[in-house]
Structure formats: structure tokens, C-alpha cells
Amino acid sequence: MTSHDQDGDGRDARARLIHHVDDLCAGTAPSGLGELSDRAALLVACGLVEPRITDVVLTRLHRNLPFPTVGGFHQVRVIEEQRHDLRRILGTPVPSVLRMALRTRLADLDRKYLVLRTGFTRGAGVFAFRIKDIRVDRRRGIHLDTDDRGRLFDALASTPTMAPVPMVPRTMTELGTVAAALGQREMGRVVLPHRVQAVVESLPSLPQIRADRRRIPEMYTALLMEVGGLYDRLIRAYVRGGRAVEEIRLQFDAETEVVGLSGDLCRLRETAAMPGVPPARDGFTTLTGMGVAIDEVWAEVVERAVAFRELVESVETRADAAVSEAARLDDIARDYGVRPPSTAHAPSPADLTAEHLAARAGDRMLSTEAMRRLRGQIDPHG
């Protein structure tokens, strides 16, 4: 079953896209929805950086060159959201005890962010560091300076994630809840006498301090998540379909398409967040609250995303058909006791020997001709 069979009950691609955006904004999206791959996150982040950085990112991705990894870019987004919440709360009047706890937590998150950012900007083993190598990579269009890597990392901190963000305490009661939950977790790691353990387990359950499902606050970020997810689905379909979808892969530059959509969506998100702009309602809406001109642009962006989804679904359908056909041929091959065509070819020792000997065919031919010429000199009439 293809992905669009699973999330669409007869609706067209536009209706499925809008339904998914609504689910992401309402926090009702499937709990198993995965994170964007690091590759998709890099493309989405390109919507927030200068074109010269985007050009390098695209060139490296098209050549399958790596970027420094931090164990998944979505975790950077979680840290950044917590830092943002903490700074906002610290800007309001809060009790001194709570303020101290929040500042301590913010300092800890700042350190984590800096460690991840430093590892990314250093680019050990990924980017050239010798002057000669840097010049070569610049001519090839695959080198990012340290400052540009930092800008790209900061943009990655604004990419969407489905990971639940831990709650930031806003009152003394919530701070006490978080502290109690931490203490209860620590007690669970300690081997206690049975009587004491029974007392700990009998304590009333604490309120949830972390959402089970992610709720994306507005439709622009939700559509960014949708576009990045479609890109990952397309890459998986390319892998499944193999040669059956090779013609599509060669004709369609998916990376550039995602970057274009991300750039438009990031501009819309930035404008919607400006002071004085009335917020649009939760979930998908055609009225952005920013005027008719922006509404028309938003409609064009949505149509572009719908076209992308339709293409991805078509590639998935063709890939699934190729997988089914390969399975049918494999069954026929097994019925007749021959090697299934989809299995990897494992050369036998004789095959390896033949390949080695075939590589020396030229030497044998030259040797044969040389001997015949020599014999012709010795015995011209032989």
C-alpha cells in the first residue's frame, strides 16, 4: 500500500495536503510520523540563508557529499524552542526562585547549543582546512566558510520537528512538578528496599510535563514539514523503484524544488510573525490575514506543494508496481529452481578467475602475434 493510500480516503492530493497540515497544527497527526532526514532538513534550512550558501548546499547534495552530523538536526530545533520559551518567560515578572531555576536551565541549553554548533562549524573530516584544498573546493563550488556554516546551523535550528518539546515551568507549582518528576525518575534508578520501593510506587501520579504529540503552531511551518516529508518519501521511492523510476529521477531536480518552496514558506512565516499582523486561525486557511496580494502568493505556494505531492505519489505508485513485478518474477524463478532475478549476483571462484584471465586477453593476443611473426622469420614457407 502506498503512502497516499494510507492518508487519503479517496480525496485528491490537495485535500490530503490540507488535511495533513490541519492535523499537524492540531496535534492530531499520527504519533509515528518520523522526523525529517538530515538531507531534507538542510534543504528546508536553505530557505533562511543567502543564495550563495544555498548554491553550495545544493552542489554538495547533488554530488552526495556529506555535512557534519550532530546526531539528527531535529534535536537542535527542540533545544532552540526551549531557549526561546525560557527567554520569553524570563522577560516577564516571575518569582526569584523560579527565575534562578530558569536561568540555570537556559545556561545549560546554551552550552548544548554551542557544543553542537561548534562541531558543525568545525566540519572536521568534511570540509577542507588546508589553504590549497580550500581553493580547490571553492573552484568546485563545494566549500563553505566557517561563518557560513554557522549561519546554516542557525537556520537548521528553525527547521520543523515532530519531537515533543519538554515544558518550560511558568509557575512555582509547575517548577515543583518538574522537580518532583526528576526526583521520582532518579529514585527509580536506585535499588531500594522493597518496603521503600512500595511507598515510592504508591505516590500519586504526576501530571504530564511533556506532550505526547507534537503540535506545530502555524500552517507555514506545518507545510514546511509536509514538503520535507514529501522529499524523504520521494527518495525512498527512488530506492524502491530502481530503474523503473530512473527516468523521473534524471528529469526532476527535487532538491531545487524543495529549496524554492522552503524559501517562499520561510518568507511567509517571517512576515506573519511581524508585530501588527493579525494571526491566521489554527490549521490551514486560504486567508493569511496579510492582504489580498499575500493571499494570492500563498495560493500559488500551496498549488506548487500540491503538484509536488502529486508527483511524489505517482513515483511511489510506479515504484510499488516495480516491486510487485520483481516479486512476481522472483516467484516464477523459484518455481523453476533458478536464481531469482532480483537477488544480488554472487560470483563463483570460476567467475572471478575468468574475469581475471579476461583482463589479460590483450597480453595473450600480443604474445601470440609476436610468436607467429618470429616463426615467420625463421620459416617463411612453414
Side-chain angles (χ1 to χ4, degrees):
M1 181 181 292
T2 60
S3 299
H4 56 281
D5 291 331
Q6 295 173 2
D7 63 7
D9 46 3
R11 295 170 293 193
D12 61 13
R14 178 184 175 83
R16 288 193 294 273
L17 182 142
I18 292 173
H19 177 69
H20 193 216
V21 169
D22 282 333
D23 282 346
L24 290 171
C25 292
T28 56
S31 57
L33 190 64
E35 296 291 343
L36 298 183
S37 67
D38 283 357
R39 189 180 177 96
L42 283 163
L43 294 171
V44 170
C46 284
L48 291 167
V49 296
E50 296 88 341
R52 56 187 173 77
I53 299 177
T54 297
D55 291 343
V56 175
V57 172
L58 286 174
T59 302
R60 291 188 68 87
L61 291 178
H62 284 149
R63 298 187 182 187
N64 290 317
L65 296 174
F67 282 83
T69 179
V70 296
F73 294 134
H74 62 278
Q75 66 171 326
V76 182
R77 173 68 165 164
V78 173
I79 293 173
E80 179 62 13
E81 285 205 16
Q82 278 204 286
R83 294 168 77 209
H84 176 74
D85 285 347
L86 284 164
R87 292 192 188 101
R88 183 162 47 82
I89 296 170
L90 285 169
T92 62
V94 293
S96 58
V97 175
L98 177 59
R99 182 177 296 277
M100 186 183 303
L102 294 180
R103 283 178 174 170
T104 301
R105 177 59 178 161
L106 178 59
D108 181 52
L109 290 173
D110 286 344
R111 282 192 295 271
K112 288 183 179 179
Y113 187 90
L114 182 60
V115 168
L116 294 173
R117 193 179 192 274
T118 301
F120 186 87
T121 55
R122 283 180 179 171
V126 174
F127 290 102
F129 64 93
R130 295 188 303 179
I131 299 298
K132 182 178 70 172
D133 296 334
I134 289 175
R135 288 173 179 169
V136 171
D137 283 359
R138 279 179 177 161
R139 286 196 296 269
R140 296 167 61 197
I142 61 173
H143 183 75
L144 277 178
D145 291 332
T146 303
D147 290 343
D148 288 341
R149 293 175 219 165
R151 294 184 182 96
L152 180 59
F153 183 86
D154 293 336
L156 284 165
S158 293
T159 56
T161 178
M162 292 307 298
V165 178
M167 183 193 77
V168 175
R170 292 169 174 79
T171 64
M172 291 299 296
T173 301
E174 290 179 350
L175 178 62
T177 299
V178 173
L182 178 61
Q184 202 171 45
R185 286 198 301 270
E186 293 300 323
M187 289 290 284
R189 297 190 181 100
V190 179
V191 179
L192 300 171
H194 178 73
R195 184 178 63 181
V196 179
Q197 186 67 39
V199 172
V200 173
E201 292 174 356
S202 67
L203 293 173
S205 60
L206 293 166
Q208 287 285 332
I209 63 168
R210 179 171 178 161
D212 291 330
R213 289 190 177 182
R214 170 77 170 164
R215 179 180 176 273
I216 294 181
E218 37 72 29
M219 61 184 179
Y220 309 112
T221 303
L223 191 53
L224 276 172
M225 185 74 193
E226 166 75 358
V227 169
L230 287 172
Y231 174 80
D232 285 335
R233 283 170 54 178
L234 181 64
I235 297 303
R236 289 194 293 269
Y238 284 158
V239 174
R240 287 202 317 275
R243 292 183 178 179
V245 296
E246 186 71 8
E247 183 180 354
I248 302 170
R249 187 185 68 81
L250 293 174
Q251 293 183 61
F252 179 59
D253 187 350
E255 289 77 17
T256 300
E257 187 66 32
V258 173
V259 167
L261 276 163
S262 299
D264 292 341
L265 288 166
C266 289
R267 295 294 86 72
L268 287 166
R269 185 173 66 179
E270 289 171 353
T271 306
M274 289 181 178
V277 177
R281 68 171 178 84
D282 290 341
F284 181 88
T285 176
T286 57
L287 302 176
T288 64
M290 294 181 283
V292 176
I294 296 294
D295 288 344
E296 292 176 354
V297 172
W298 172 237
E300 294 169 354
V301 172
V302 171
E303 284 306 308
R304 187 178 183 182
V306 170
F308 185 38
R309 180 170 185 131
E310 289 172 338
L311 178 63
V312 171
E313 291 174 349
S314 295
V315 175
E316 287 178 327
T317 299
R318 180 175 289 191
D320 291 342
V323 170
S324 298
E325 178 64 13
R328 186 184 71 83
L329 295 176
D330 284 355
D331 290 340
I332 295 174
R334 292 188 187 95
D335 290 342
Y336 285 90
V338 299
R339 184 176 63 85
S342 66
T343 57
H345 173 63
S348 66
D351 293 331
L352 295 174
T353 301
E355 181 179 352
H356 175 71
L357 292 174
R360 298 180 60 229
D363 294 339
R364 290 194 297 274
M365 185 181 300
L366 290 174
S367 178
T368 301
E369 290 298 321
M371 287 187 291
R372 284 177 175 164
R373 284 197 302 271
L374 182 59
R375 181 175 177 270
Q377 295 175 13
I378 299 172
D379 186 5
H381 304 292

